[in-house]
């Protein structure tokens, strides 16, 4: 698997991983990434697009940099490249970001991961957190993150299930998407 392409836009010259991101234009970034994803998959490599969404800072990003934006700007600028890729390249993997958007961790944000990504765009692949995210594992599962990198916290999932805040069915949905990816690779 290739941990890329990086799909955020250039908002500022010193923002996060600009060396990985294509441009300040979501449409252009999406078109270039579609070509890369299709070409890389032909070589038998699984691209893993990241960081979904608004990854604005490299410094202290795991502790929760908060980005504020309007829904219109998020949809027209910051989500555009991800939408193009989902609809045109059928990616198998997406990595959520560490940061907080409008007060909600992206890794725990059901509106982003389920309502928009899977609901509106019909994304069928797997979503994983970024490495060692500070999000609560059970909240990430409920939001649509299938894997918590690097190893997850299965004990916390079991405690959440016992407390009634996470269901077996919610965990099975994630497990099904993980197994679906394994079957595609195999």
């Amino acid at each position: 698997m290739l941990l890329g392409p990086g799909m955020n836009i250039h908002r500022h010259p010193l923002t996060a991983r600009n060396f990985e991101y294509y441009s300040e234009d979501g449409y252009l970034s999406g078109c270039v990434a579609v070509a890369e994803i299709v070409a890389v998959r032909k070589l038998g490599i699984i691209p893993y697009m990241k960081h979904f969404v608004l990854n604005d800072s490299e410094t202290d990003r795991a502790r929760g940099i908060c980005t504020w934006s309007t829904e219109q700007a998020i949809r027209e600028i910051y989500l555009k490249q991800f939408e193009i890729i989902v609809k045109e390249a059928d990616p198998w993997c997406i990595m959520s970001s560490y940061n907080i958007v409008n007060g909600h961790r992206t890794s725990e944000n059901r509106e982003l991961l389920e309502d928009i990504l899977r609901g509106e765009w019909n994304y069928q692949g797997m979503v994983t957190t970024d490495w060692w995210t500070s999000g609560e594992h059970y909240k990430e599962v409920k939001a649509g993150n299938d894997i918590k990198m690097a190893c997850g916290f299965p004990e916390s999932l079991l405690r959440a299930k016992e407390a009634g805040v996470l269901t077996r069915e919610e965990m099975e949905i994630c497990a099904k998407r993980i197994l679906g990816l394994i079957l595609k690779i195999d």
Side-chain angles (χ1 to χ4, degrees), residues 54 69-79 101-102:
L54 281 146
S69 186
T70 65
E71 180 179 353
Q72 181 178 0
I74 291 171
R75 286 182 176 272
E76 291 178 1
I77 302 169
Y78 308 112
L79 287 174
V101 175
N102 294 341

Side-chain angles (χ1 to χ4, degrees), residues 96 103-114 118 127 129 133-148 153 156-161 165-167 170-171 174 177:
S96 62
H104 302 283
R105 288 193 176 283
T106 58
S107 65
E108 299 173 354
N109 192 322
R110 186 171 181 83
E111 182 180 5
L112 285 172
L113 301 177
E114 286 293 329
R118 291 190 170 103
V127 175
T129 68
T133 181
S134 299
E136 291 281 342
H137 195 173
Y138 82 92
K139 289 179 182 177
E140 292 169 336
V141 168
K142 290 180 80 63
N145 256 303
D146 303 307
I147 294 179
K148 183 171 184 85
F153 300 100
S156 73
L157 293 181
L158 292 176
R159 284 193 302 273
K161 183 178 171 286
V165 295
L166 181 67
T167 67
E170 289 168 323
M171 291 187 283
C174 292
R177 291 190 287 237

Side-chain angles (χ1 to χ4, degrees), residues 17-138:
R17 299 183 177 192
N18 276 346
F19 63 91
E20 288 186 25
Y21 305 148
Y22 295 115
S23 99
E24 68 282 349
D25 180 83
Y27 179 77
L28 175 61
S29 294
C31 292
V32 172
V34 165
E36 179 181 346
I37 288 169
V38 170
V40 168
R41 269 214 316 245
K42 286 181 182 176
L43 299 172
I45 299 167
I46 309 305
Y48 214 109
M49 74 171 171
K50 61 182 185 177
H51 300 93
F52 191 76
V53 62
L54 281 146
N55 185 53
D56 272 357
S57 176
E58 195 62 23
T59 305
D60 292 328
R61 67 190 181 115
R63 287 189 271 180
I65 297 297
C66 187
T67 304
W68 295 93
S69 186
T70 65
E71 180 179 353
Q72 181 178 0
I74 291 171
R75 286 182 176 272
E76 291 178 1
I77 302 169
Y78 308 112
L79 287 174
K80 182 54 68 180
Q81 61 275 30
F82 292 100
E83 179 181 12
I84 290 168
I85 293 165
V86 167
K87 290 180 176 179
E88 295 183 22
D90 186 29
W92 296 352
C93 305
I94 294 176
M95 179 186 291
S96 62
S97 54
Y98 284 120
N99 59 304
I100 297 168
V101 175
N102 294 341
H104 302 283
R105 288 193 176 283
T106 58
S107 65
E108 299 173 354
N109 192 322
R110 186 171 181 83
E111 182 180 5
L112 285 172
L113 301 177
E114 286 293 329
D115 297 348
I116 294 173
L117 184 62
R118 291 190 170 103
E120 291 180 26
W121 302 343
N122 198 32
Y123 175 64
Q124 299 296 311
M126 186 191 75
V127 175
T128 181
T129 68
D130 206 337
W131 292 82
W132 301 109
T133 181
S134 299
E136 291 281 342
H137 195 173
Y138 82 92

